Amino acid sequence: MRVLVLYAHPNPESYGAALHAAVVAGLTAAGHEVDDCDLYAEDFEPVLSRAERVGYHDLATNTDPVAGYVARVQAAEALVLCFPVWNFGYPAILKGFFDRVFLPGISFKLVDGKVRPNLWNIRRLVAVTTYGGTRWRALLMGDPPRKAVCRVLRAVCHPTARPRYHAHYDMNRATPESRAAFLASVAERMRAL
């Protein structure tokens, strides 16, 4: 299976980087074709420009500034996100990726003024993430990142794509043992994708 990994963490020495390595290693070990998109390493520009917004609905040209990324999304059969939760959301660079790449005609199409999913090539959707706070705290806040993956992203993928959301909560008080256990479970889950 062709898997696009979207990785969003600026520190190559972080626990997030270790998770990213486990994701890629697990997918590779399972024989998947991995397109590893490290948004920071690729210097992805997350800001949607005025010109891009003005041309947002022009299906003939709206993908021009991000054509390479669009091609990578369209080639994928699975999408795996690897990111830390910051301020109960995606890191800005990942949010910017969705703003600039998940365009009309790409992730969705408008039919009689209604949004319809268009990423039917994406049949698997996975998120691997970390939270500073507890699961309980995330629930009290409505857990926006989980909803963004399991509802919003899922809504534009193939109807049979069932999201898998793997999170290590309470990183502020994580132990070496809890981090190691989560790392091992992520690698195993990627091998089972």
Side-chain angles (χ1 to χ4, degrees):
M1 178 181 306
R2 287 184 308 276
V3 182
L4 175 60
V5 175
L6 289 179
Y7 171 58
H9 198 294
N11 184 355
E13 298 168 9
S14 67
Y15 182 69
L19 286 174
H20 172 236
V23 164
V24 172
L27 292 169
T28 303
H32 297 294
E33 179 185 330
V34 178
D35 178 359
D36 186 13
C37 181
D38 180 337
L39 294 171
Y40 282 96
E42 294 185 17
D43 289 325
F44 179 78
E45 173 55 60
V47 177
L48 181 72
S49 71
R50 179 186 184 281
E52 286 173 285
R53 183 59 195 136
V54 168
Y56 188 77
H57 290 285
D58 182 355
L59 301 185
T61 62
N62 68 350
T63 63
D64 290 350
V66 289
Y69 290 102
V70 167
R72 292 166 81 174
V73 169
Q74 290 178 324
E77 297 168 294
L79 180 62
V80 177
L81 310 177
C82 187
F83 65 96
V85 170
W86 290 340
N87 297 305
F88 287 100
Y90 295 131
I93 200 166
L94 183 57
K95 175 64 168 73
F97 183 90
F98 294 128
D99 290 347
R100 294 189 65 215
V101 179
F102 278 46
L103 296 162
I106 304 307
S107 66
F108 67 94
K109 55 187 172 186
L110 292 172
V111 178
D112 297 323
K114 295 183 181 179
V115 173
R116 299 284 186 249
N118 203 41
L119 284 178
W120 282 46
N121 53 299
I122 304 291
R123 295 177 176 270
R124 302 270 174 92
L125 177 60
V126 179
V128 175
T129 188
T130 57
Y131 290 68
T134 65
R135 174 79 172 119
W136 178 244
R137 183 169 180 228
L139 285 170
L140 286 174
M141 300 304 287
D143 207 347
R146 182 181 290 265
K147 288 179 182 173
V149 171
C150 297
R151 294 181 185 178
V152 178
L153 284 181
R154 183 191 181 279
V156 298
C157 295
H158 193 279
T160 62
R162 297 290 178 254
R164 295 182 182 156
Y165 195 86
H166 309 297
H168 187 306
Y169 293 91
D170 208 10
M171 286 296 293
N172 294 339
R173 295 182 292 185
T175 64
E177 293 78 19
S178 72
R179 288 190 298 272
F182 186 66
L183 207 57
S185 74
V186 164
E188 180 61 34
R189 289 171 177 170
M190 293 303 109
R191 285 191 294 272
L193 185 71

